[in-house]
Amino acid sequence: MTNAHDVDTRPGRLLLLLPLQAGLVAALGLLVTGPLAGRWPLSAEDGVNRALAARRSVPASVFSEAMSLLAGTGSVIALTLVACVVLLCVPRVPRWREVAFLAGSVAAQSAVFLLVTLVVERPRPDVPHLDAAPPTSSFPSGHVGASMALFGGLAVLAARRLRGLRRYLVVAALLLIPLAVAGSRVYRGMHHPSDVLAGLLNGACTLLVVAGALLLPGTGAAPERAAGDGPTEPRPGPAGGRTSSGARGRVVVVRHPHGCDGETAARVRDVLRGRGWTDQVWVLTSAEEPCGALAARTAGADTALVVVCGGDGTVRACADVLAGTGIPMAIVPCGTGNLLARNLRLPSDAAAALREALSGEAVGVDVGRISGDGLAPTRFVVMAGAGFDAAMVRDASPRLKEHLGWAAYVLSALRHLRDPRMRLSIRLDGGAPLERRARMVVIGNVGTLQGGLPLLPDARPDSGRLDVVLLDPRGPGGWFAAARHLASRGTGRGSADGRPRPAPGGPGRLAAHGALEYFSAARIDLRLARAQPRELDGDAFAAGTRVTAEVEPGALRVCLPVPVRTGAPGAPGAPDEQVTDGAEGAAALSAGN
Ligand SMILES: Nc1ncnc2c1ncn2[C@@H]1O[C@H](COP(=O)(O)OP(=O)(O)OP(=O)(O)O)[C@@H](O)[C@H]1O
């Protein structure tokens, strides 16, 4: 549990470690030049310098000169300035905190270095020098310390931003630079090996201290605000009136650590504090507990709001706990698909979504309750599926998801285009079973996929019903017709076959030459002839033959911005054209109208 109040003073306290660090490096320098001088391994250092000086070559000298130039004072200042300008101008939201970290690390390292050289005096190695020797002590190496602060600092930022293989490659490449500078300085006869080790140590310690002060979530550094951010004063919000002391109640923040990185978490924390939610309890999700300890945190406690920082899987797991409790949920989209957030028209930026949600109203949204063989009763908020889409979800590579986002699902889908059709029977609201063949069956609470593709054009999160689509394309022509139908609905262009018509001999509505069949019901019972892969809100579940889904109208209170738009975005003439304002609109959605 982390309380925002507990961490306010940490940055100041951590920066106090810098003088301590200067003292330690200076003490090390005094040891190296005093009692330890002449003892192994320091006694071997002159030999190393002499051996390198004796083996100098043109390529090595050119390389070492380039490295020394790169780590020179002028280059480090210029590169730091460029990096800071890039951090401020290139991302959508200026990265003030990262700028402060980088510039602060470079400046703090130099300050510690200068302080140490006031105390420690060590002559340069007794070999020919390839550079003019600066007046400072040989211990520690300023070039190496500066390059560690700058390139090591960039490595820290890259490690926070990048994912997968790219992260390791970039971080390794950046960390190699100070090592190459260290070797170059010894090669050029400018430093003993222990000088460059002390430079590396000084740079690394500076990074640790400054990162601890400025980058860790909850360090209480100046809030980072996007352009157009609202005022920081607490405003009327979706839930949880103020206590007598003026503060709001407790907010539990559920954080999927992979999707919601440290910086996003810090922005979420800042937005919440700016809106008066100072009593924050943070819980982390895990593969085994996709909503962390949310149930324990909300059981019996006075939780006024739950903020979910994750993708649809995390939102689903939290919704399963919160449905029916009345505790409102705010969604901070941090996943790959974020389909519920998209369908509810929340901004894709995490902090912006939270700000808008907190400025709006908590309204009732339907959830689906689902069970089956090997599927313990649980809930979903987006879509549940069996067949093609579940196989696609199951086989999407996590690594590709990290690099390509939802395009990874498209690649996975291509592998399953030729999967065999399923035989199934479907019962709607306890009616007679309908026998069908299909490649995929999807039951949806909302209907729009990535790119505005309306898989279930009539689905609305407040309809009090669930929508169903069966996909049964025959051959490439069928797939093309289905794709064209969905795409034309997505862009608002109707096709000749675009109008769904009643299915002959059943309650469904056919479209795309019969490749798509739509239903709607409050309860759906599915029987599959053979065990099929199944998915809930983008997470694969065990294969099985039975699925029962039932709607729980308005069971989940979700904080939505006002004006409230309802319906499937992108569907022409569909409810997404409706825009209602303020509390009235929220109330209408809440009532499932
Ligand atoms: N700390 C964790 N480490 C590994 N897996 C986790 C962790 N926390 C949650 N998970 C798993 O992540 C899945 C939920 O991920 P989530 O849906 O939030 O992200 P996503 O798949 O990227 O987003 P989306 O569903 O929007 O595409 C669950 O299957 C859960 O078991």
Side-chain angles (χ1 to χ4, degrees):
M1 168 175 162
T2 307
N3 189 315
H5 290 306
D6 298 339
V7 292
D8 273 351
T9 56
R10 192 161 61 174
R13 288 211 308 268
L14 278 178
L15 290 175
L16 287 178
L17 289 174
L18 286 173
L20 185 68
Q21 177 188 328
L24 283 176
V25 179
L28 202 61
L30 293 175
L31 280 176
V32 165
T33 53
L36 297 184
R39 290 178 183 239
W40 195 89
L42 297 179
S43 56
E45 293 203 299
D46 287 342
V48 173
N49 283 110
R50 277 198 294 273
L52 285 174
R55 288 171 178 75
R56 282 176 183 157
S57 66
V58 174
S61 296
V62 169
F63 176 77
S64 65
E65 185 177 12
M67 285 294 117
S68 291
L69 271 177
L70 187 66
T73 308
S75 312
V76 168
I77 292 176
L79 288 173
T80 305
L81 283 177
V82 169
C84 290
V85 169
V86 168
L87 284 168
L88 291 180
C89 299
V90 173
R92 211 151 43 126
V93 179
R95 308 273 180 212
W96 287 106
R97 190 175 298 216
E98 300 190 346
V99 165
F101 161 70
L102 197 62
S105 298
V106 171
Q109 190 285 143
S110 319
V112 172
F113 163 74
L114 287 173
L115 279 176
V116 173
T117 57
L118 288 180
V119 179
V120 181
E121 252 183 84
R122 190 182 198 190
R124 304 273 164 181
D126 187 18
V127 293
H129 303 154
L130 293 185
D131 294 318
T136 48
S137 159
S138 181
F139 183 101
S141 165
H143 277 71
V144 174
S147 65
M148 188 65 192
L150 172 58
F151 297 105
L154 289 173
V156 170
L157 298 185
R160 286 159 50 88
R161 290 260 143 235
L162 302 179
R163 293 275 178 275
L165 186 62
R166 208 154 39 124
R167 173 201 260 175
Y168 296 111
L169 290 178
V170 172
V171 168
L174 286 166
L175 289 180
L176 276 179
I177 295 176
L179 294 180
V181 172
S184 300
R185 298 306 286 162
V186 177
Y187 171 88
R188 295 179 76 76
M190 305 308 298
H191 288 283
H192 309 91
S194 55
D195 302 336
V196 298
L197 283 179
L200 286 173
L201 182 74
N202 190 28
C205 288
T206 310
L207 288 176
L208 273 179
V209 172
V210 181
L214 298 179
L215 290 186
L216 290 183
T219 48
E224 211 169 72
R225 305 211 163 269
D229 257 7
T232 57
E233 301 83 48
R235 297 181 359 188
R242 290 169 190 278
T243 64
S244 54
S245 65
R248 294 186 188 278
R250 169 166 302 171
V251 55
V252 177
V253 185
V254 178
R255 176 184 168 207
H256 188 319
H258 296 179
C260 178
D261 61 16
E263 186 180 342
T264 307
R267 293 172 69 205
V268 166
R269 190 184 303 275
D270 289 343
V271 170
L272 284 169
R273 293 177 66 193
R275 297 292 191 273
W277 295 95
T278 50
D279 185 4
Q280 301 176 15
V281 176
W282 286 67
V283 298
L284 285 179
T285 66
S286 66
E288 299 73 32
E289 282 192 305
C291 62
L294 177 65
R297 294 294 185 199
T298 51
D302 52 346
T303 301
L305 174 68
V306 170
V307 174
V308 182
C309 309
D312 290 313
T314 309
V315 171
R316 187 198 74 73
C318 294
D320 192 34
V321 172
L322 296 178
T325 64
I327 300 173
M329 170 201 280
I331 300 168
V332 177
C334 296
T336 316
N338 302 315
L339 287 182
L340 185 62
R342 283 171 198 256
N343 277 270
L344 294 175
R345 296 174 175 269
L346 287 166
S348 57
D349 178 73
L354 182 59
R355 277 194 302 274
E356 288 211 12
L358 294 181
S359 304
E361 300 284 335
V363 300
V365 165
D366 301 343
V367 298
R369 194 172 56 238
I370 192 158
S371 59
D373 51 328
L375 179 59
T378 184
R379 295 182 172 93
F380 67 96
V381 285
V382 179
M383 295 172 197
F388 171 73
D389 73 316
M392 172 192 79
V393 162
R394 183 193 60 195
D395 295 340
S397 143
R399 180 175 287 187
L400 282 183
K401 274 173 71 178
E402 276 185 26
H403 290 295
L404 303 178
W406 60 267
Y409 291 116
V410 177
L411 293 179
S412 175
L414 293 177
R415 293 163 49 197
H416 290 285
L417 288 180
R418 293 174 59 80
D419 283 0
R421 299 160 72 204
M422 313 179 272
R423 274 195 301 115
L424 60 96
S425 79
I426 178 168
R427 286 177 71 199
L428 304 164
D429 291 330
L434 305 167
E435 303 299 327
R436 294 289 190 271
R437 279 178 182 268
R439 291 181 193 277
M440 163 181 110
V441 50
V442 168
I443 303 169
N445 186 37
V446 293
T448 301
L449 302 178
Q450 284 86 355
L453 219 60
L455 181 64
L456 292 158
D458 299 327
R460 290 175 52 171
D462 60 340
S463 63
R465 297 174 73 76
L466 297 170
D467 283 47
V468 185
V469 62
L470 300 183
L471 173 71
D472 190 24
R474 311 281 173 87
W479 279 107
F480 178 74
R484 195 179 65 144
H485 174 77
L486 294 175
S488 64
R489 295 295 302 263
T491 57
R493 286 181 284 110
S495 67
D497 190 50
R499 275 175 212 294
R501 55 180 193 277
R509 291 179 300 118
L510 293 175
H513 302 291
L516 295 159
E517 187 175 5
Y518 297 104
F519 308 91
S520 168
R523 179 188 165 104
I524 296 126
D525 290 286
L526 273 179
R527 296 286 179 275
L528 310 167
R530 286 194 181 167
Q532 297 290 338
R534 296 176 292 187
E535 61 95 6
L536 288 183
D537 290 356
D539 282 332
F541 276 75
T545 57
R546 283 183 290 116
V547 170
T548 296
E550 208 165 349
V551 72
E552 291 182 340
L556 182 68
R557 295 183 70 212
V558 180
C559 303
L560 295 179
V562 286
V564 176
R565 292 161 187 262
T566 66
D576 68 318
E577 305 295 335
Q578 299 172 6
V579 178
T580 53
D581 275 313
E584 197 184 322
L589 183 56
S590 180
N593 293 334

